[in-house]
Amino acid sequence: SAAWSPDGKRIASASNDKTVRVWDATTGACVSTLEGHHRGAISAAWSPDGKRIASASNDKTVRVWDATTGACVSTLEGHHRGAISAAWSPD
């Protein structure tokens, strides 16, 4: 999946190549590649404030990334099969 940042300036796309890429929505340039999933990333979602990206993967995890640095700040584990969607609460 792909998701627009709240400010409309960036797009996050989840890929079967195990990455989440962040794109400049105006130029189309890849500005960041988030690496850490061990199997394909299925879904990506921006936090309401645009500071974090959550990604769901076939590796049975959901990862939370710092959208500025690209660092993985949290890995949520416990699924018995692949995680297929990521979403944020508006609050």
Side-chain angles (χ1 to χ4, degrees):
S1 77
W4 288 88
S5 63
D7 64 7
K9 295 181 179 180
R10 296 170 290 169
I11 300 167
S13 63
S15 173
N16 203 38
D17 70 2
K18 308 176 195 173
T19 68
V20 174
R21 293 182 190 266
V22 179
W23 308 88
D24 181 297
T26 302
T27 67
C30 179
V31 296
S32 181
T33 301
L34 312 179
E35 298 178 284
H37 284 297
H38 302 291
R39 297 186 78 185
I42 303 301
S43 177
W46 289 87
S47 63
D49 63 7
K51 294 181 179 179
R52 300 277 190 264
I53 299 169
S55 60
S57 169
N58 275 329
D59 68 6
K60 306 177 191 174
T61 67
V62 173
R63 291 182 182 259
V64 179
W65 309 87
D66 181 299
T68 301
T69 68
C72 180
V73 297
S74 181
T75 302
L76 310 174
E77 300 176 281
H79 288 288
H80 297 287
R81 295 193 180 193
I84 59 170
S85 186
W88 290 88
S89 171
D91 59 355

